[in-house]
Amino acid sequence: QVQLVESGGRLVQTGGSLRLSCAASLTIFKTQAIAWYRQAPGKEREFLAQITPTEATHVTRAVKDRFAISRDNGKNTVYLQMNRLQVEDTAVYYCNIEGSPVPWGQGTQVTVSS
């Protein structure tokens, strides 16, 4: 039973922008803080940003000037807006419950070309 589904990843050139989507189950969306993570090849999974049901947000220092997290309560969807993308942003991007993740999904691949 899928509880969180990521989408929106694609190939993009450096300097470009992408908006990733995380479609969440109603229960998770309404009650849990949801976070975006990424995992680049050979690296640990990295926390990026989180948003609570009350729309309190936190974006990690590494990307806070370029990424923003938001949510659409009508669509049960959390977004990650990524701007001024760099090659180092290439990774599989995942969403999950902040702090207490459910099984990880497939994620969505973001590839930034130089």
Side-chain angles (χ1 to χ4, degrees):
Q1 296 183 10
V2 177
Q3 301 175 80
L4 298 156
V5 179
E6 306 93 343
S7 64
R10 62 176 177 88
L11 175 67
V12 64
Q13 293 183 338
T14 56
S17 297
L18 280 177
R19 188 177 72 165
L20 306 182
S21 297
C22 173
S25 71
L26 180 62
T27 298
I28 289 176
F29 187 82
K30 296 296 185 184
T31 64
Q32 304 295 324
I34 297 174
W36 282 98
Y37 306 81
R38 68 184 178 189
Q39 188 165 26
K43 294 186 176 181
E44 298 279 339
R45 184 180 294 110
E46 175 189 14
F47 169 86
L48 296 173
Q50 66 184 53
I51 188 165
T52 71
T54 58
E55 301 190 14
T57 64
H58 172 70
V59 182
T60 192
R61 183 185 301 272
V63 299
K64 66 179 181 180
D65 293 335
R66 300 187 296 116
F67 291 10
I69 191 168
S70 62
R71 57 190 281 146
D72 185 330
N73 293 333
K75 297 182 178 180
N76 296 334
T77 298
V78 173
Y79 301 103
L80 183 68
Q81 178 67 47
M82 306 186 295
N83 301 317
R84 306 198 311 278
L85 285 163
Q86 305 166 4
V87 172
E88 65 192 33
D89 296 318
T90 295
V92 179
Y93 285 70
Y94 302 89
C95 61
N96 215 323
I97 299 172
E98 190 278 327
S100 300
V102 296
W104 297 90
Q106 296 183 28
T108 186
Q109 175 72 49
V110 173
T111 302
V112 184
S113 63
S114 61

